[in-house]
């Protein structure tokens, strides 16, 4: 095993998924487990399935291929590409849809593959990303009627998404409006939606506050079991494992990024000579703090941006990055670091996303 390395605690992930599935069942909500941050890692998908998740969602077909052999239902979380219909039907049991032409192509391909493909029809309730606009009721009804008539398709449910592109918060008001719209469509088209899929992890704040609109019975969730966090009030939830880490605790965290020290010395804090721009064409300003002890780590900006990581040792300071190096200041550290030592970092969601998508970062799975 080499460094940099991302360690993922799959036991804690499984535990968080179990708490989530159980807590949301209490208000009648089924959880679709979103694995997209891990870029299709089968180990993390398996962990949430062990925790009780029955359906795993990915935004890319290429990642659904990676979890092909996991025994669960699979969902494509993004509208299928016209150029990718064959693999969508092959690797996904369900997909999120809002384009009738795509839906027709899915039906045709499902006939060919002798499969039934399930459609989660997306409605845009105001976040202005995917979905048929909620005010275009005639279009929604026409699409539902056509799905009903098309061979080898089944309607999985009606879905909506909040707090993504438009940052429109999930509220009681738009939740109830979504439910009313669904009832109107059901009545007009003679269908019954098995699932009203009301959003992502940000919708959890309504459950936490005890004001969850009745009748909404499905969420597509990553962030809640990933970080044990409620994202509207930005608070950690007691019953989950979190990703914040105490250097004095020997336990491993949900996610830890570990980098190796490849050079360690004392140098001035201000460069010598005439200054130009850095590798990213930015000019920089350096404050003079004298000569300080510092180290180079074996990962850089192309792996993970330093804005999205935090040293577990609070006395370590991040100085900056180039493509393949991260520079840290060790002058104030009680720990006497040496070349070859490992320095650990916590990661936020963006950091985790970057780490999982970097082929330069090893992935390791721990269970302690
Ligand atoms: C990413 C995504 C989700 C899950 O989001 P989290 O914030 O991880 O809970 C749900 N629905 C759609 C359409 C998504 O793209």
């Amino acid at each position: 095993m080499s460094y940099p390395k991302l360690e993922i605690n799959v036991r804690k992930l499984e535990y968080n998924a179990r708490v989530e599935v159980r807590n949301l069942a209490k208000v009648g909500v089924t959880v679709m487990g979103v694995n997209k941050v891990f870029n299709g890692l089968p180990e993390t998908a398996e962990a949430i399935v062990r925790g009780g998740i029955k359906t795993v969602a990915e935004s890319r077909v290429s990642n659904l291929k990676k979890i092909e052999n996991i025994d669960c239902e699979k969902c494509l979380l993004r509208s299928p590409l016209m150029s990718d219909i064959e693999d969508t039907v092959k690797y996904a049991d369900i997909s999120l849809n809002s384009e009738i032409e795509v839906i027709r192509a899915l039906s045709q391909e499902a006939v060919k593959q002798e499969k039934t493909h399930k459609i989660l029809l997306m409605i845009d309730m105001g976040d202005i990303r995917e979905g048929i606009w909620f005010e275009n009721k005639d279009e929604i009804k026409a699409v539902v009627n056509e799905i009903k008539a098309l061979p080898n398709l089944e309607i999985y449910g009606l879905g909506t998404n909040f707090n993504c592109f438009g940052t429109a918060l999930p509220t009681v008001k738009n939740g109830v409006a979504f439910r009313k719209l669904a009832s109107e469509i059901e009545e007009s088209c003679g269908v019954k939606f098995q699932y009203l899929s009301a959003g992502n992890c940000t919708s959890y704040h309504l459950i936490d506050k005890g004001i969850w609109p009745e009748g909404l019975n499905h969420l597509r969730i990553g962030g809640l079991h990933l970080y044990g966090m409620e994202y509207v009030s930005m608070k950690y939830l007691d019953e989950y494992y979190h990703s914040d880490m105490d250097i004095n605790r020997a336990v491993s965290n949900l996610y830890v990024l570990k980098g190796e020290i490849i050079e360690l010395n004392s140098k001035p804090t201000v460069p010598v000579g005439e200054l130009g721009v850095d590798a990213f064409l930015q000019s920089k300003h350096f404050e003079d703090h004298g000569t300080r002890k510092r180290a180079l780590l074996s990962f850089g900006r192309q792996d993970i941006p330093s804005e999205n990581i935090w040293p577990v040792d609070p006395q370590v300071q991040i100085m900056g990055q180039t493509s393949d190096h991260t520079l840290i200041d060790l002058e104030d550290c009680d720990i006497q670091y040496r070349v070859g030592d490992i320095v650990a970092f916590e990661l936020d969601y963006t950091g985790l996303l970057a780490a999982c998508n970097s082929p330069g970062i090893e992935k390791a799975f721990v269970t302690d």
Side-chain angles (χ1 to χ4, degrees), residues 106-150:
L106 287 168
S107 166
Q108 245 179 24
E109 182 60 33
V111 170
K112 219 157 115 190
Q113 294 186 26
E114 298 180 356
K115 279 182 148 180
T116 300
H117 188 80
K118 299 180 193 175
I119 305 289
L120 178 52
L121 185 65
M122 294 302 284
I123 308 297
D124 187 342
M125 296 300 296
D127 196 55
I128 62 167
R129 196 178 71 180
E130 76 270 59
I132 305 173
W133 189 245
F134 69 100
E135 288 171 309
N136 301 347
K137 290 184 187 168
D138 289 343
E139 185 188 350
I140 301 169
K141 287 172 192 170
V143 170
V144 170
N145 283 327
E146 190 165 345
I147 299 171
K148 270 176 66 187
L150 284 167

Side-chain angles (χ1 to χ4, degrees), residues 32 34 36-37 57 59 77-78 96 122 129-130 160-164 197 199-202 219-226 231 349:
M32 182 185 273
V34 176
K36 68 184 177 192
V37 75
S59 12
L77 203 53
R78 189 171 66 178
L96 273 60
M122 294 302 284
R129 196 178 71 180
E130 76 270 59
T160 189
N161 200 39
F162 293 111
N163 214 344
C164 271
S197 187
N200 54 47
C201 67
T202 60
L219 288 172
R220 309 167 308 273
I221 297 187
L224 179 58
H225 59 258
L226 290 172
Y231 290 89
Y349 185 93

